[in-house]
Amino acid sequence: MFKIPETHPRYKSLIKREKLVAGIEAGITSKQGLIAHGRGEAFDYLIGERTLDSARRATEVAAALLLAAKRPVISVNGNVAALAVNEIIELSELTNAPLEVNIFYRTEERARKIKELLEKQGARNVLGDGADARIPGIAHARARADREGIYSADVVLAPLEDGDRCEALIKMGKKVITIDLNPLSRTSLHATVSIVDDVERAIRNLISVVMEKKRGKGKENLLEDYDNEENLKEVIYEIASRLKSDGKIN
Ligand code: ATP
Ligand code: MG
């Protein structure tokens, strides 16, 4: 890995790029994943590479939803595996949610490599290598889901999910939590709860909120008072006010 000096102003962002390049070299991330990350980076620049208040609100609701779920599942793709493997495993343990390898540009080899990485890092319940059920309304290999996992889940956490699949999961009656830096993506618009934040920051925040909730009341339902569309408007408002604030953007 290229050595980036910690004093570099774009240190964190450059480390993420290095992690993705390492993911490509290890056969776990797709080349198209780099392009998707680039789109995400552009939004992160606008957001200011920090967690917005609106994302914190969504995280509270998402954590409560995961803890109240009967069959929660966490979806893992090649970018998530490269950027936040330890965080996603920790969240899976804390919420008793199996991880399911769920990749857009599916090859069996890449699915197997992601599963192996998760297991090597300590994940105990990884699904998705023999995914044999189909999500209705989705064409070709992207419809595949594990019968015991995403297919029968009531709550799915799907970081960096495609808009089409997110919509199809909602149509199946599931509650879908997404993590996507683009508040305008079809994914963000369709999800039950959209966390507009970088995947690593978002999962770290989810871990701490889940831990807090487990110590406290735990099973409250925050979804009743939550409106995802309103929260996405709030995201855009936060971004716009930051950009307008007297031309000072830091
Ligand atoms: P959609 O299919 O939802 O309309 P899209 O086609 O623009 O959106 P995809 O290519 O399906 O997007 O998925 C990539 C999405 O992942 C982008 O919207 C991008 O903002 C988001 N993304 C990329 N990298 C990250 C990251 N590190 N953290 C959070 N989100 C990210
Ligand atoms: Mg898409």
Side-chain angles (χ1 to χ4, degrees), residues 77-90:
N77 68 16
N79 284 41
V80 176
L83 291 170
V85 69
N86 294 321
E87 289 82 0
I88 207 95
I89 294 170
E90 189 177 348

Side-chain angles (χ1 to χ4, degrees), residues 34-207:
L34 294 183
I35 301 169
H37 184 76
R39 184 174 291 161
E41 274 188 343
F43 281 98
D44 210 14
Y45 223 108
L46 297 176
I47 284 170
E49 295 168 319
R50 76 216 146 97
T51 299
L52 299 172
D53 290 343
S54 41
R56 289 194 194 281
R57 274 196 294 281
T59 301
E60 287 282 333
V61 182
L65 207 50
L66 281 170
L67 286 173
K70 291 197 175 63
R71 300 193 65 151
V73 175
I74 301 175
S75 155
V76 183
N77 68 16
N79 284 41
V80 176
L83 291 170
V85 69
N86 294 321
E87 289 82 0
I88 207 95
I89 294 170
E90 189 177 348
L91 185 63
S92 150
E93 291 284 321
L94 277 170
T95 54
N96 278 324
L99 297 169
E100 177 166 337
V101 178
N102 164 29
I103 51 184
F104 191 90
Y105 298 98
R106 191 175 176 102
T107 68
E108 292 320 304
E109 194 192 351
R110 207 154 67 78
R112 181 179 50 78
K113 283 189 169 159
I114 295 175
K115 183 171 196 273
E116 280 169 10
L117 171 72
L118 290 164
E119 285 170 348
K120 189 172 131 254
Q121 295 303 114
R124 287 181 294 181
N125 196 355
V126 186
L127 305 167
D129 53 347
D132 60 345
R134 294 200 168 259
I135 301 168
I138 295 285
H140 72 84
R142 290 197 297 118
R144 287 176 59 178
D146 200 302
R147 196 166 293 284
E148 298 305 312
I150 289 178
Y151 188 79
S152 48
D154 56 346
V155 176
V156 182
L157 170 63
L160 280 65
E161 181 58 285
D162 173 52
D164 254 23
R165 275 187 55 128
C166 177
E167 192 178 359
L169 293 173
I170 294 278
K171 278 196 184 137
M172 286 176 85
K174 300 178 193 307
K175 298 206 164 39
V176 181
I177 302 161
T178 56
I179 300 171
D180 187 330
L181 278 158
N182 179 359
L184 307 168
S185 73
R186 293 181 55 248
T187 301
S188 294
L189 298 175
H190 282 111
T192 316
V193 181
S194 312
I195 302 175
V196 179
D197 203 359
D198 167 70
V199 66
E200 191 185 340
R201 292 197 303 267
I203 296 174
R204 286 200 181 148
N205 289 336
L206 267 172
I207 290 171

